[in-house]
Amino acid sequence: MAKRINDHISISDALKEFVSDNKLQKGLDKVHVREVWNSQMGPAIEKYTTSIKLDRETLYVQLSSSVLREELSYGKEKIIKMLNEELGRELITKLILR
């Protein structure tokens, strides 16, 4: 239901409505996941991260170090949990390290 012009609406609600009406959430999620990966994993891992892609509920992370990829593969569940906590919702269910 469209809001009347003279209705009071917070900027937060207006932005949420705009994002929803224009189907922008998936794009925002993809950008947010990239930011959260880099902030949570730290600069050492960010340096070896060559690409990050969110496709549905699967996060694909390309790493330039096979040793790092092997190390991180042991903690996939912990990484997923940590990222979802920072994102504020269950956005990622599967992590693929390449």
Side-chain angles (χ1 to χ4, degrees):
M1 185 170 174
K3 300 237 181 266
R4 291 192 333 233
I5 292 172
N6 62 351
D7 281 351
H8 293 286
I9 182 171
S10 73
I11 290 176
S12 173
D13 289 343
L15 284 172
K16 285 177 190 167
E17 195 172 298
F18 179 80
V19 166
S20 172
D21 289 351
N22 293 287
K23 296 173 179 55
L24 300 175
Q25 193 59 52
K26 281 184 184 173
L28 289 173
D29 286 343
K30 289 177 182 181
V31 171
H32 196 199
V33 163
R34 201 169 297 130
E35 291 170 354
V36 168
W37 171 269
N38 290 332
S39 71
Q40 292 299 305
M41 300 308 283
I45 292 175
E46 180 181 359
K47 187 171 78 173
Y48 292 103
T49 303
T50 55
S51 85
I52 299 168
K53 181 182 169 199
L54 180 65
D55 186 19
R56 295 190 183 93
E57 295 177 341
T58 303
L59 182 64
Y60 297 90
V61 179
Q62 184 95 28
L63 298 164
S64 60
S65 166
S66 58
V67 175
L68 179 61
R69 183 170 47 251
E70 186 71 23
E71 276 299 307
L72 292 179
S73 70
Y74 296 116
K76 281 185 180 181
E77 291 304 314
K78 186 178 177 185
I79 293 169
I80 291 169
K81 186 174 188 258
M82 177 182 65
L83 294 174
N84 281 330
E85 281 177 11
E86 188 64 25
L87 289 162
R89 59 195 169 105
E90 295 293 312
L91 191 60
I92 304 163
T93 58
K94 190 173 181 186
L95 175 63
I96 306 286
L97 302 169
R98 309 191 244 197

